[in-house]
Amino acid sequence: MPMYVPSRGRVEEFDVGGGGQVLDLETAVKDGILGGGGGVVVHGGAIEKKLSLRKMMEELDSIEVPSVFICPISLEPMQDPVTLCTGQTYERSNILKWFSLGHFTCPTTMQELWDDSITPNSTLHQLIYSWFSQKYLAMKKRSEDVQGRVLEILETLKKVKGEARVQALKELRQVVTAHDSAKKTVTDNSGVSLITSLLGPFTKHVVASEAIGILVHLDLNSDGKANLMQPNKISLMVDTLNEGSIDTKINCMKLLELLMEGKDSECEVLSSLSLFVGLLRIIKDKRHPNGVLSGLRLLKLISSHESLRNSIVGIGAIPQLVEVLPNLNAECLEFALVILEALSTLPEGALALMDCRSTIPNVVKLLMKVSESCTQFALSILWAVCKLAPAKCSSVAVEAGLAAKLLLVIQSGCNPVLKQRSAELLKLCSLNYSETIFISKCKLTKTMQ
């Protein structure tokens, strides 16, 4: 069946009630669920306040809609269905637009119209409204049931310990993951502070894993973030990251990233060698692409703080990142190059890049390959390396095909700044060669020469 997509159109309002399910127009009329009058006949429920059909459609996003409700032109649910003389029904605004384009045929059958009048299909309109009303009220009831269950679990967490606490947290995590209303109920009822209070130096990893799995899905305010930034809680998150399943690792990384955003003064709390080692271990694990992406995102955020870069370089992160470059997808590559470029601003970082034999070959291959931003970061890294030891690095760079790539950048429609940097790097690489030898070493085509 076509999937519902919210639309904008003329909307009428009808009284809404709960009741039995209505599946199609024929069944609804035959069973007497819809009468001939202007209202909606309901069974077994009180009359509710008037609700806009558009509002219900917007809240019931992505729900499967019976095909009889779908306009053949827009493939969206009809809000104001009208019928042509051929018996085909369309959304009023869509068929009027069809006529305005000079078409006087039925869009579905392509029959010439012997009568261009359109007749409101009030029976179908009532059926559509009734169907969406029932779905809407059912959704609201489920939402109320979810909120009630969340409140019960929060009360339980205040009283229980041990395995009962773990089970309560697991259930809460499942509910919060599945229902947006549950997230709001937790945050509106001091759930964040309650769950955060469970994290401490003596918290078992299974409890920490479930609690972090809940917190990462919540909208944390400044107080909630400040509470979680306490050193003992950060230490627990790092331990949980290193020892948990891949899902737990990803949740820990996402929560740490969430806590670090916009935090300049408190970043020192994350200067943990154990964290950096754990992140590199995840980044090198090709079995879990989502883990690699989350690890690179967090390491990029950490490396944006100058005070933490020395620690990252100090644990040998640079050669490990360089070695994984050929295995990364486009999104991950950009994060990795941003990290390496940030680390190259340190003298120790540039030296570590130069000492890694794979740096120049691996980075040269990325020029003009992924995106302009990746080319920019790659050029910056190569410049930091080559200017350290031009004689040593230029020969390696030329052998790796750097000159041809630089000329491609210069001849492309790239940013003028990139072209200028490419020209400077090309000049640097050519200093130790005569013109003839340089051209032969670069293996350039006649056009490039």
Side-chain angles (χ1 to χ4, degrees), residues 134-314:
Q134 292 161 20
K135 296 293 183 183
Y136 180 81
L137 293 173
M139 180 199 72
K140 287 297 183 184
K141 185 177 186 306
R142 284 196 303 272
S143 177
E144 291 168 2
D145 292 343
V146 165
Q147 292 170 23
R149 185 59 189 138
V150 167
L151 293 174
E152 289 176 6
I153 297 172
L154 292 177
E155 285 301 314
T156 300
L157 284 172
K158 296 175 183 178
K159 306 170 186 175
V160 298
K161 294 182 179 180
E163 185 60 27
R165 174 179 288 176
V166 173
Q167 291 305 316
L169 286 170
K170 281 185 176 180
E171 184 179 355
L172 184 57
R173 178 172 58 82
Q174 291 169 355
V175 176
V176 163
T177 304
H179 302 281
D180 287 339
S181 60
K183 301 171 188 177
K184 188 175 187 306
T185 304
V186 172
T187 53
D188 289 350
N189 291 274
S190 304
V192 173
S193 58
L194 172 61
I195 296 166
T196 301
S197 70
L198 303 179
L199 301 176
F202 304 109
T203 302
K204 292 182 179 179
H205 284 162
V206 64
V207 172
S209 175
E210 297 299 334
I212 291 168
I214 296 168
L215 292 168
V216 77
H217 288 98
L218 302 180
D219 184 13
L220 303 176
N221 59 26
S222 56
D223 290 339
K225 290 180 179 180
N227 198 358
L228 285 167
M229 286 291 283
Q230 295 177 36
N232 65 330
K233 297 188 189 302
I234 294 293
S235 178
L236 176 63
M237 290 181 216
V238 172
D239 290 343
T240 306
L241 181 150
N242 283 322
E243 298 185 21
S245 66
I246 186 61
D247 289 336
T248 296
K249 292 177 189 294
I250 291 173
N251 285 336
C252 289
M253 290 185 287
K254 287 181 176 179
L255 184 57
L256 289 169
E257 182 183 355
L258 182 66
L259 296 178
M260 276 198 71
E261 287 176 349
K263 298 283 186 182
D264 292 325
S265 58
E266 301 174 38
C267 64
E268 291 298 331
V269 74
L270 288 178
S271 59
S272 162
L273 296 183
S274 178
L275 172 60
F276 301 154
V277 170
L279 290 179
L280 289 170
R281 188 181 300 121
I282 293 168
I283 290 168
K284 292 189 295 181
D285 190 345
K286 295 183 287 186
R287 297 173 300 169
H288 305 292
N290 289 340
V292 174
L293 178 60
S294 295
L296 286 168
R297 284 176 61 94
L298 180 55
L299 192 58
K300 170 182 173 283
L301 189 56
I302 293 172
S303 66
S304 67
H305 298 277
E306 291 184 28
S307 59
L308 300 180
R309 291 175 190 169
N310 268 317
S311 299
I312 300 173
V313 173

Side-chain angles (χ1 to χ4, degrees), residues 309-330:
R309 291 175 190 169
N310 268 317
S311 299
I312 300 173
V313 173
I315 63 165
I318 284 180
Q320 296 182 63
L321 289 171
V322 168
E323 293 299 335
V324 301
L325 288 178
N327 304 320
L328 299 178
N329 60 33

Side-chain angles (χ1 to χ4, degrees), residues 109-125:
T109 65
M110 296 311 294
Q111 287 177 272
E112 292 257 351
L113 298 177
W114 57 91
D115 181 355
D116 62 359
S117 63
I118 56 177
T119 305
N121 193 331
S122 58
T123 303
L124 180 58
H125 193 164

